[in-house]
Amino acid sequence: AFPDLSGPSEIKGVWKEPVTLPCTYVPVEDLVQQTLTWTVVHDKDSRTIFRRDGSSDHILLSEYRERVSIPKDDPGNVSLLILSLEISDRGTYTCQVTWRDSNNSLIAKEITTKLEVVKENRAGAGAVQRSDAVQLTVTDSQRPGLSLYLVILIAVVCGAVVFLVISLIICIRKPKD
């Protein structure tokens, strides 16, 4: 009876919020967890984020320091918690656990989870849970009002009218010789 790792194949996390990448197993009596490794693939480049061995926990990538943790006192739960999710955190994460059996043999299992990072948290039928998640973006074509050319034309016509009125006033006030 070997343990199996379980967790979703895909998960969505919200930018700037925490996300948990589930990875769990049911502990087996004669198997002792030796190592736990979390790796991530960004653009075909695989890198180790976290490693737990007999000595301690090691966070190997500086961009994840102070942002990742794994439960310590919950046997079988080796889920990765990432705080303050960044857009650059998206990628494919692998949870790998190695156990030692009573014969000193090593058994390793792994699962992968694809993490997508979204900018807003949508619940159900498009309801937004965070008040600051929705930002309206107005492009030039959507702005109400006049185009630049029309504004320039109006300014030139107004200038011409003002010039004409001032010219007329000056001509009328000139004393006749």
Side-chain angles (χ1 to χ4, degrees):
F2 298 126
D4 269 327
L5 294 178
S6 62
S9 60
E10 230 175 272
I11 196 163
K12 284 189 177 164
V14 179
W15 179 55
K16 296 291 184 190
E17 291 190 10
V19 68
T20 298
L21 302 181
C23 183
T24 58
Y25 64 92
V26 177
V28 176
E29 191 176 321
D30 290 338
L31 294 178
V32 178
Q33 182 180 313
Q34 292 291 285
T35 60
L36 161 66
T37 307
W38 274 95
T39 57
V40 62
V41 176
H42 297 297
D43 303 319
K44 300 179 185 170
D45 179 30
S46 178
R47 299 166 69 198
T48 301
I49 299 169
F50 180 94
R51 181 173 168 82
R52 175 177 286 167
D53 55 29
S55 65
S56 66
D57 290 354
H58 311 279
I59 299 171
L60 303 171
L61 290 179
S62 60
E63 60 262 35
Y64 289 93
R65 290 212 176 102
E66 309 296 324
R67 291 198 308 127
V68 296
S69 64
I70 293 177
K72 278 195 185 256
D73 301 320
D74 189 0
N77 183 2
V78 290
S79 302
L80 181 69
L81 170 66
I82 305 174
L83 300 174
S84 188
L85 205 57
E86 296 294 336
I87 299 296
S88 59
D89 291 337
R90 71 179 180 269
T92 303
Y93 289 76
T94 301
C95 170
Q96 183 185 56
V97 181
T98 305
W99 298 271
R100 186 176 299 279
D101 69 10
S102 53
N103 300 330
N104 267 348
S105 298
L106 294 177
I107 299 142
K109 296 276 176 113
E110 67 180 39
I111 60 164
T112 60
T113 302
K114 183 178 179 184
L115 173 64
E116 292 288 331
V117 180
V118 295
K119 287 218 178 180
E120 58 188 43
N121 193 0
R122 294 192 179 271
V128 176
Q129 292 177 338
R130 290 179 37 184
S131 61
D132 60 341
V134 176
Q135 295 176 345
L136 294 176
T137 305
V138 180
T139 63
D140 288 337
S141 62
Q142 295 171 316
R143 279 200 181 97
L146 306 172
S147 74
L148 181 61
Y149 298 111
L150 194 53
V151 170
I152 292 171
L153 179 64
I154 291 171
V156 168
V157 169
C158 287
V161 168
V162 168
F163 178 76
L164 183 64
V165 169
I166 291 173
S167 298
L168 282 173
I169 291 172
I170 291 173
C171 287
I172 292 173
R173 288 191 171 199
K174 260 188 181 180
K176 294 182 181 176
D177 289 337

